[in-house]
Amino acid sequence: MVQSLGVKLPFAISKERFGGLLLITSCLLAFAWATLHLPSYTAFKNFPLTENVSWQLFVNDFLMVFFFLMVGLELSNEAKSGAFSTLRAILLPFASACMGFLCPAVIYLFLVGGVTSPLANGWAIVTATDIALALGLLSLCSRVPVSLKMFLLAVAIFDDVLAIITIALFYTATVEMVYVGLSLLMTTLIFILSYRQVQSALLYVALGAALWFALLQAGIHPVLAGVVIGIALSQSGCAIDHKTESILQWVVTLLVLPVFAISNAGVSLSGAFSSAGLIEPIAAYVAIAMLVGKPLGVFGTVWLGVKFKLFELPEATNMLMVFAMSIFCSIGLTLSLFIGELSGLEGGHYKLGIVLAALVASIFGLVIMTFATRQSKGIINTGAEN
């Protein structure tokens, strides 16, 4: 995750660059482990910590709370003084994120044969954008305008919001209405305290823990408690200084996301190129939907908006830069794997599609962005970061 884009932007971007590389390395390690010795990888992720809690469940239901906590902090920070501080700044990335969410889902459902297909429950896998990887890779390119990085950040944050809503609405198994009501009451209480500027971080953490338990009992994914507490902490004016927030960001970057990737990304590739492997098309469906749908939705929205003079391009950019950036939006590693686990798809072959899309998008995005910035030296001035 990245802090609000202000004076600390270069440090934040370098953190995203490192986090993105670490995340994809962890995914490749999980693939290698599962391919070389699947029984030991399966035993690792299913290792029982208690009678009903495996290691993978602990990572997905508890550790990922810290990731969603950073999403909540980021949303609130950008709403107060960052990329979402004005309505005009919000409209284009919001529209781009919405179309970047819908287009891959529609393409995926078309490829799998519609909503009645056994694979249809995986439609949301292809809708996510990974902030850490996308922004980290964009930062590898020299002379990229800061305005383009802010635009990508805004699109990715809205993408996170859509993913959170999707998890809550579509990937909830059995709902216990008593606990749903309790969760709503606790969320309301938390935001009332936040609105009244009650500045007690310990109180919010305690209420967050109670909300986590209520959501778990309600059948709604409990990591959503992290988003609520992140927003409340920021809006209440609690003294979360840059040092504290930076420590949280490093915990997410160095611990939570790599551990999550290692615990979830593993799928054996030993039979991927056999005749049996070739008849499992889910990986291709996921990769195609992400690689085609994301640029179509994100870039298509910008192109139409500019053509009909509804919006303006981000400062010091051109259409080719925006197209390259839209390719980076095809990288949905963290939330795509997370949603994939919730979708219940058999075999884990979709994970290969997620990683394949990330690798292809990384290569093509870097090549096109490098070409775009070299061809546009004349327009990149004070808006660029070297």
Side-chain angles (χ1 to χ4, degrees):
M1 310 307 295
V2 67
Q3 54 199 297
S4 183
L5 292 178
V7 294
K8 295 185 176 293
L9 177 67
F11 176 70
I13 295 300
S14 65
K15 185 182 296 182
E16 293 303 312
R17 182 183 305 177
F18 178 76
L21 294 174
L22 181 61
L23 181 60
I24 201 164
T25 299
S26 301
C27 286
L28 294 174
L29 175 62
F31 270 92
W33 185 357
T35 299
L36 294 174
H37 201 269
L38 184 59
S40 64
Y41 178 79
T42 303
F44 159 71
K45 70 177 186 178
N46 293 332
F47 181 80
L49 298 180
T50 65
E51 184 177 351
N52 297 315
V53 179
S54 68
W55 167 253
Q56 187 183 50
L57 191 64
F58 168 75
V59 171
N60 292 358
D61 282 10
F62 179 72
L63 281 188
M64 283 296 283
V65 170
F66 293 96
F67 171 81
F68 284 92
L69 173 66
M70 295 310 304
V71 172
L73 286 170
E74 186 175 86
L75 279 170
S76 185
N77 289 343
E78 295 302 322
K80 288 193 296 184
S81 58
F84 301 156
S85 57
T86 66
L87 180 61
R88 185 174 178 81
I90 290 174
L91 289 177
L92 182 57
F94 175 73
S96 299
C98 288
M99 292 308 298
F101 180 89
L102 291 172
C103 287
V106 171
I107 291 173
Y108 175 84
L109 288 172
F110 173 78
L111 291 173
V112 302
V115 294
T116 59
S117 167
L119 302 177
N121 202 41
W123 66 271
I125 292 172
V126 300
T127 62
T129 295
D130 193 299
I131 295 178
L133 267 175
L135 196 54
L137 286 164
L138 185 61
S139 302
L140 294 176
C141 305
S142 61
R143 299 188 299 274
V144 173
V146 172
S147 61
L148 191 64
K149 294 176 182 178
M150 292 182 68
F151 183 76
L152 174 59
L153 174 65
V155 170
I157 291 173
F158 278 125
D159 211 295
D160 279 351
V161 174
L162 292 171
I164 290 165
I165 295 171
T166 300
I167 291 169
L169 294 180
F170 297 99
Y171 292 97
T172 296
T174 56
V175 176
E176 295 290 339
M177 293 309 298
V178 172
Y179 283 102
V180 169
L182 181 60
S183 300
L184 290 173
L185 285 174
M186 295 189 67
T187 301
T188 302
L189 173 61
I190 289 168
F191 283 130
I192 289 174
L193 293 174
S194 174
Y195 177 76
R196 292 181 173 274
Q197 299 289 288
V198 175
Q199 298 182 11
S200 173
L202 186 60
L203 175 61
Y204 289 114
V205 170
L207 290 172
L211 176 60
W212 181 90
F213 179 78
L215 288 170
L216 181 68
Q217 296 302 312
I220 301 171
H221 209 284
V223 295
L224 300 179
V227 182
V228 174
I229 297 306
I231 294 173
L233 283 172
S234 179
Q235 294 294 326
S236 67
C238 283
I240 305 176
D241 55 23
H242 286 301
K243 182 178 179 181
T244 302
E245 191 168 342
S246 181
I247 290 172
L248 288 172
Q249 290 168 347
W250 279 116
V251 167
V252 171
T253 300
L254 296 179
L255 176 64
V256 175
L257 294 184
V259 168
F260 169 79
I262 291 173
S263 303
N264 287 275
V267 59
S268 178
L269 303 181
S270 58
F273 303 103
S274 66
S275 58
L278 291 175
I279 62 175
E280 279 289 349
I282 182 65
Y285 294 159
V286 168
I288 291 170
M290 297 178 83
L291 290 169
V292 176
K294 276 294 183 179
L296 180 63
V298 174
F299 176 73
T301 300
V302 175
W303 185 82
L304 287 173
V306 172
K307 180 178 177 61
F308 291 101
K309 299 182 180 180
L310 299 174
F311 305 112
E312 295 179 356
L313 283 173
E315 182 183 358
T317 64
N318 60 24
M319 280 296 183
L320 189 58
M321 290 182 191
V322 175
F323 177 66
M325 183 221 69
S326 72
I327 294 176
F328 287 133
C329 292
S330 300
I331 303 169
L333 213 55
T334 304
L335 280 173
S336 291
L337 289 170
F338 188 78
I339 293 171
E341 288 296 320
L342 300 179
S343 70
L345 293 182
E346 297 288 335
H349 295 280
Y350 66 88
K351 298 176 184 178
L352 177 59
I354 294 171
V355 175
L356 180 62
L359 291 173
V360 173
S362 299
I363 295 169
F364 277 88
L366 287 171
V367 169
I368 296 174
M369 184 63 75
T370 300
F371 177 79
T373 53
R374 286 179 178 174
Q375 295 297 311
S376 307
K377 292 180 182 179
I379 68 166
I380 303 177
N381 38 54
T382 58
E385 175 188 288
N386 295 306

